[in-house]
Amino acid sequence: MNIPFAESWKIKMVEPITKSTRNEREKWLKEAHYNVFQLESKKVYIDLLTDSGTGAMSDRQWAAMMLGDESYAGATSFFRMKETISTITGFKYVVPTHQGRAAENVLFSCLVKEGDVVPGNSHFDTTKGHIESRKAIAVDCTIAEARDTQLVIPFKGNMDIKMLEDCLMKNVDKIPFVLVTITNNTCGGQPVSLKNLKEVYAVSKKYNIPVLFDSARFAENAYFIKTREKGYENKTIKEICLEMFQYADGMTMSAKKDAQVNMGGFIATNLEDWYEQAKVKCIIYEGYITYGGLNGRDMNAIAVGLEENTEYENLETRIKQVAYLAQKLDEYGIPYQKPAGGHAIFVDAQKVLTRVPKEEFPAQTLTIELYLEAGIRGCEIGYILADRDPITRENRFGGMEFLRLAIPRRTYTNNHIDVVAAALKNLSDRSENITRGVKIVWEAPIMRHFTVKLERL
Ligand code: F0G
């Protein structure tokens, strides 16, 4: 008999979670205006809202926390973190920030101005927010194949090089950098190949434009390169990371993902000019340049988390759990963005709730139904999150319409995953009876999904 695959860790500490009744959930969700961000976490049984800052740290990370140097300036914890980042990425300058969007805020404050254009592959919502709030334009150059959820290709997060070059040609004076998100979260946690990273870099250099990686899940991207891209099967994750970052001038990082901590972020670069500018903004927005909004202990945990998560076994455990959910959904015939991504399964809501019109937000409707069914919290990555067009103020119905089930790192067992799959199966069995969705009764002008108030139709 083949020995089955199992986790590369064992559990040392647990946190109780509680079930609720459907009646309770009906009441709670109504009070939350049908927005799952407004639910108290104790009212959630299995929380797949995000994989950001929600994972479990290792015993080695907790041990490193005790050794944190809390000095205001020159903390040894900063140098430990910086050293690890430089070894993994090859970037020599590091600016700490309290999370990923703070890194965006610091760097974009230096680089992005009104009228600028930032081409990228499905910019994440805060990233798009930081571009659009500066009255610049985010141009999505993700390959068209990414829109076909049933198409199985290995690197669905890739950038369309021709589209990118057209954008560069037309706007060359207005482009502060090209942004590559690895993995591509918004289109399904899909990886970008090393070949594509090389091509993006080459075309950007042709126009003398720097390349920035939004690197929240860079280690997961490296895992997919190792397991899917020819020529990389025998390289270590660390070798692949170093090679990936050769094709960037800098990175922003949400350490809440692939550095496996609950809070943290940073900017890293080899461009002295970016570093000098970012230092000034870091001091204004985040804190002195050797802590940038982080505790010394946080920086130690980031150093250990990065070290651990650039090892194959840790990534394999994680990504195989996501694949396990995918396999269950395949069994039950529930459509999702294929192949399974690195951090989450993105259920194709329009293909499940075929009778809910787009104006009534099928993905949000599915999110609501899943919570009511079993207390599972996913989140909408769709038309509500897409916000309105900044100029026409119309809803943007052009993109993808997903219910995202993000799996926190080292947190749930496959028994929990079985519960999620069964709940989705029940929903899919009665999807013909779900014909109406929701309407918006209040929304913020930007990043509305966090606070939007909805009514059921
Ligand atoms: N970039 C990407 C690709 C992200 O996925 C996120 C956050 C950020 C930047 C911002 O980082 O949260 O530390 O400020 N993504 C989380 C998510 C929130 O649920 O996907 P942050």
Side-chain angles (χ1 to χ4, degrees):
M1 188 177 179
N2 279 342
I3 305 290
F5 176 79
E7 290 79 4
S8 65
W9 36 258
K10 59 182 178 174
I11 298 165
K12 183 142 41 184
M13 192 187 278
V14 295
E15 174 185 345
I17 51 176
T18 44
K19 289 186 190 170
S20 52
T21 64
R22 184 165 180 121
N23 280 347
E24 284 172 327
R25 294 193 290 274
E26 292 272 4
K27 176 174 167 284
W28 293 336
L29 196 56
K30 188 159 189 256
E31 286 164 3
H33 304 280
Y34 298 99
N35 179 348
V36 292
F37 281 98
Q38 304 294 318
L39 282 171
E40 282 176 65
S41 64
K42 65 180 185 202
K43 294 171 179 165
V44 174
Y45 176 41
I46 299 173
D47 204 349
L48 307 185
L49 183 70
T50 179
D51 63 322
S52 180
T54 51
M57 292 208 294
S58 68
D59 52 357
R60 289 175 296 169
Q61 284 180 289
W62 281 107
M65 297 270 287
M66 296 306 290
L67 301 174
D69 175 356
E70 306 303 340
S71 305
Y72 189 98
T76 52
S77 299
F78 170 74
F79 294 108
R80 179 175 180 185
M81 178 179 83
K82 178 172 178 279
E83 181 69 36
T84 308
I85 295 167
S86 297
T87 306
I88 291 172
T89 65
F91 292 129
K92 59 179 176 216
Y93 303 119
V94 174
V95 177
T97 63
H98 78 273
Q99 64 182 94
R101 69 200 68 184
E104 290 163 2
N105 186 36
V106 167
L107 193 63
F108 294 9
S109 294
C110 310
L111 305 177
V112 180
K113 41 182 208 316
E114 186 169 343
D116 278 357
V117 173
V118 181
N121 54 340
S122 324
H123 313 65
F124 182 66
D125 60 349
T126 59
T127 320
K128 184 157 64 75
H130 275 299
I131 294 167
E132 292 181 348
S133 64
R134 290 178 170 81
K135 299 196 166 60
I137 300 161
V139 177
D140 186 6
C141 301
T142 310
I143 53 168
E145 290 94 321
R147 300 175 61 86
D148 176 357
T149 60
Q150 300 313 292
L151 178 74
V152 178
I153 52 170
F155 292 101
K156 238 178 177 175
N158 278 358
M159 193 95 105
D160 181 323
I161 300 297
K162 186 168 174 323
M163 215 191 273
L164 173 63
E165 181 147 22
D166 282 352
C167 180
L168 292 174
M169 232 160 18
K170 280 193 205 123
N171 304 290
V172 67
D173 301 330
K174 291 188 258 171
I175 301 183
F177 50 81
V178 171
L179 186 70
V180 193
T181 303
I182 51 172
T183 58
N184 183 331
N185 179 1
T186 312
C187 95
Q190 298 293 323
V192 179
S193 68
L194 244 164
K195 178 168 178 285
N196 193 248
L197 293 176
K198 275 184 207 172
E199 289 167 351
V200 168
Y201 191 72
V203 71
S204 305
K205 290 296 130 174
K206 191 167 139 193
Y207 294 86
N208 215 4
I209 291 172
V211 176
L212 177 69
F213 285 177
D214 176 349
S215 319
R217 300 178 183 85
F218 75 91
E220 291 172 8
N221 202 80
Y223 174 89
F224 284 118
I225 289 172
K226 181 174 169 70
T227 53
R228 293 184 184 172
E229 192 162 352
K230 214 171 161 303
Y232 290 93
E233 41 295 78
N234 296 324
K235 297 216 183 240
T236 65
I237 297 293
K238 286 190 168 67
E239 284 165 347
I240 295 171
C241 289
L242 255 188
E243 189 171 339
M244 287 186 328
F245 286 109
Q246 269 177 28
Y247 302 106
D249 298 285
M251 67 189 282
T252 51
M253 177 73 188
S254 169
K256 302 171 73 170
K257 283 85 166 175
D258 272 357
Q260 307 184 115
V261 294
N262 303 117
M263 192 56 69
F266 56 85
I267 300 161
T269 181
N270 277 334
L271 297 181
E272 196 177 350
D273 171 47
W274 280 12
Y275 175 58
E276 289 303 328
Q277 293 187 60
K279 275 197 300 194
V280 178
K281 298 289 182 196
C282 176
I283 294 169
I284 299 172
Y285 294 137
E286 295 291 300
Y288 183 64
I289 53 170
T290 57
Y291 75 86
L294 294 173
N295 299 299
R297 53 184 174 272
D298 296 337
M299 294 189 279
N300 275 5
I302 290 173
V304 178
L306 282 172
E307 180 60 47
E308 285 178 352
N309 204 27
T310 45
E311 286 298 320
Y312 181 76
E313 285 69 21
N314 198 59
L315 287 161
E316 182 187 35
T317 296
R318 162 171 188 57
I319 289 171
K320 286 203 166 156
Q321 186 171 49
V322 178
Y324 177 77
L325 176 55
Q327 184 199 320
K328 288 267 151 194
L329 297 191
D330 284 339
E331 247 170 68
Y332 301 153
I334 296 164
Y336 59 90
Q337 172 69 302
K338 288 184 178 170
H343 67 295
I345 290 296
F346 287 61
V347 180
D348 187 338
Q350 272 178 323
K351 284 201 163 64
V352 180
L353 298 184
T354 50
R355 303 187 66 190
V356 177
K358 66 177 187 312
E359 294 78 11
E360 297 181 12
F361 305 108
Q364 181 64 22
T365 307
L366 195 59
T367 308
I368 290 170
E369 291 290 342
L370 183 63
Y371 175 72
L372 295 177
E373 180 71 24
I376 298 157
R377 174 158 69 172
C379 84
E380 192 251 27
I381 301 263
Y383 303 144
I384 295 183
L385 177 131
D387 270 334
R388 289 175 189 273
D389 184 285
I391 296 156
T392 65
R393 303 306 297 158
E394 291 296 323
N395 279 312
R396 293 192 267 208
F397 289 123
M400 320 278 261
E401 179 67 346
F402 290 128
L403 156 63
R404 185 183 76 171
L405 303 166
I407 319 273
R409 293 164 185 77
R410 310 188 283 207
T411 303
Y412 292 112
T413 68
N414 283 0
N415 289 332
H416 295 110
I417 300 292
D418 287 341
V419 172
V420 175
L424 274 166
K425 162 91 168 68
N426 290 349
L427 280 183
S428 140
D429 286 349
R430 60 182 173 78
S431 60
E432 280 297 300
N433 303 329
I434 305 171
T435 56
R436 298 303 306 269
V438 289
K439 75 168 187 199
I440 295 177
V441 291
W442 182 88
E443 63 184 287
I446 194 162
M447 286 191 232
R448 62 182 178 178
H449 60 291
F450 292 117
T451 52
V452 68
K453 292 182 179 170
L454 303 162
E455 256 170 31
R456 286 184 102 185
L457 294 165

